Amino acid sequence: MNDEIILEKEGSPGRNKTVSVLYMALRVLIVFALVAMFIPAFNPGRIATGINRYTSLFSSAFSYDSLTNSYARLIASGRLEPTAFYIVMASAVVAVLGVLALCAGGCLTLGNARCKKLSYAFLLAGPIAVIAALGGFAGAYSVLTAKDLSQVETQIPGGFWLFAAIAVLVLGMTAAVYCLSAERKRRTAGAEGYRIPEKYMLFLYLLPVVLLTGLFSYMPLLGWRYAFFDYLPGQSLTLDNFVGFKWFSEFFSNPTRNAELLRVLRNTLIMSALGILTSFLPVAFAVFYAEIRNRGLKKFIQIASTLPYFISWVLVYAFALAMFSSEGLLNNLIGAITGTTPSTNYLAISRGTWFQMLAWGTWKGLGWSAIIYIAAVSGIDQQLYEAASIDGAGRFKKMWFITVPSLMPTFSVMLLMSFAGILSNGLEQYLVFENANNHDLITVLDLYVYTLGLGTTSGSDPQIPLSTVIGMAKSIISILLLFLANWTSKRIRGESIF
């Protein structure tokens, strides 16, 4: 029995329960501070109303432009020194480091007595750093106030007091835990090294993914509220422009909009169907890749097939333009061979647009999509191949009767997941390849929502509420399709995919 368990038994049950409650409250407070660091409304560094109201504490530490855009002319004319904004940036960096120190301390409280002992250093350093940062924000506020410029309206934001309260509460609770755990702290000096139970370690490994998923996948759902307001860029959401379900009614009752949406859905479903019909290509690639015996060739094919995935669609379009535009390489080669001067712009031909997009998407994503199947091939029991060799099976029979069936469970799951994402084709590929000739065939749902929200559709004004309604409908339908795919998997394979 280790020292920590013995000392837990020796301590007062009431005291141990109090310490546990304090630790839990500390962890909740730390998680809240971490989330608040990314929420613009809680930014303690927004000391002037001209600072972008969508700038969070984290953004303030890295984006000078978001702090000074509204004051660029004043700074350029010399009427306003940028010193205060540099102080804000430096203070934001210190505050972010303080919150990260709090996170480290909170993680250590999940460990044994020695980890808890080390956590005190982080739980003290974090609030002190946050308080020092708040002092910096207050100093920057004083600098701007001293300028007494009518164009600069200073303020002490609510986030300032929020982070001050968090820092004080963490310091207070840390001190309380330290006092209540003082006896145990002295008697665990010789305990074993730092150790966090495995169940907590697994949770901590997953925590960054959970936080990033919440930050980038769930926090944006707050934008759904724009569907209930008569909103234009730059306005605030108030009861004055609240319109309830007006835009939902517009979405269903406008014949012109419905016809346009049907065209977009046609393109979306056709592109998704083509993707599903060619979903066997990564499997075939993985099967043949596994049969390559030359290690150098194998490594070259892996790099050459995977590399395009990491190239942005803008660069892919630049490559396509250099190859297939009216003055591209293909026309030059044809001209050199035939002695003519062809000037066909293959990218502007509407005929075959869907297959062009499929070809570019396949070229870019084939190697990356095959990785999961290559990993599955490496997990196949090699004794199956040895037994097949003894029975006289050749390489193609081994591929067909061993490798392919072994990949089918993975392929089934991926295929069902692709059905769940049938309305999501992505945006970047279609945005960069779109032109006046292929517009009617290339506009998929994601691109339509994007252009509608920005007001680039037929030169109209931004339709952010209506684009939000369409985005909401797409998300809800995708969730329903995901549950349908899960139900289908349980019916066909007897297993759930999530």
Side-chain angles (χ1 to χ4, degrees), residues 11-231:
S12 167
R15 175 178 291 185
N16 291 337
K17 185 176 180 180
T18 303
V19 170
S20 298
V21 171
L22 285 172
Y23 272 134
M24 183 59 66
L26 262 174
R27 293 165 192 151
V28 171
L29 197 59
I30 290 168
V31 171
F32 178 75
L34 180 63
V35 173
M37 186 171 69
F38 296 98
I39 298 178
F42 297 152
N43 182 7
R46 191 168 181 263
I47 57 172
T49 56
I51 294 176
N52 193 323
R53 61 191 178 96
Y54 298 111
T55 302
S56 64
L57 173 61
F58 185 81
S59 301
S60 299
F62 301 100
S63 177
Y64 177 77
D65 288 341
S66 64
L67 300 175
T68 59
N69 267 343
S70 298
Y71 305 117
R73 290 185 179 181
L74 288 175
I75 294 173
S77 64
R79 297 177 60 196
L80 178 63
E81 292 291 332
T83 306
F85 301 106
Y86 289 130
I87 296 174
V88 169
M89 284 193 69
S91 300
V93 171
V94 174
V96 168
L97 293 176
V99 173
L100 293 179
L102 286 178
C103 293
C107 293
L108 287 170
T109 62
L110 298 170
N112 61 3
R114 294 201 71 184
C115 286
K116 289 184 172 70
K117 177 183 174 182
L118 179 61
S119 71
Y120 296 137
F122 289 97
L123 292 176
L124 290 174
I128 291 173
V130 171
I131 291 172
L134 295 177
F137 293 137
Y141 170 82
S142 300
V143 171
L144 285 181
T145 304
K147 295 295 182 181
D148 195 23
L149 293 172
S150 59
Q151 297 93 332
V152 181
E153 185 180 347
T154 56
Q155 63 178 6
I156 297 293
F160 182 93
W161 305 113
L162 175 68
F163 275 88
I166 291 173
V168 171
L169 286 172
V170 171
L171 282 175
M173 285 190 283
T174 302
V177 169
Y178 182 82
C179 293
L180 292 173
S181 306
E183 179 182 356
R184 197 170 83 177
K185 169 183 172 293
R186 288 194 297 270
R187 299 184 64 185
T188 54
E192 283 189 11
Y194 302 101
R195 180 179 58 80
I196 297 178
E198 185 178 359
K199 61 179 180 179
Y200 294 133
M201 285 300 297
L202 294 174
F203 170 75
L204 293 176
Y205 289 146
L206 185 62
L207 185 60
V209 177
V210 172
L211 291 175
L212 290 174
T213 302
L215 181 64
F216 293 107
S217 297
Y218 289 99
M219 277 190 62
L221 294 181
L222 292 172
W224 281 10
R225 66 188 189 276
Y226 289 101
F228 303 95
F229 291 84
D230 202 357
Y231 176 79

Side-chain angles (χ1 to χ4, degrees), residues 236-255:
S236 298
L237 299 182
T238 63
L239 290 177
D240 294 334
N241 53 19
F242 178 77
V243 293
F245 291 94
K246 168 191 170 183
W247 294 107
F248 291 85
S249 176
E250 168 74 12
F251 174 65
F252 290 107
S253 62
N254 189 323

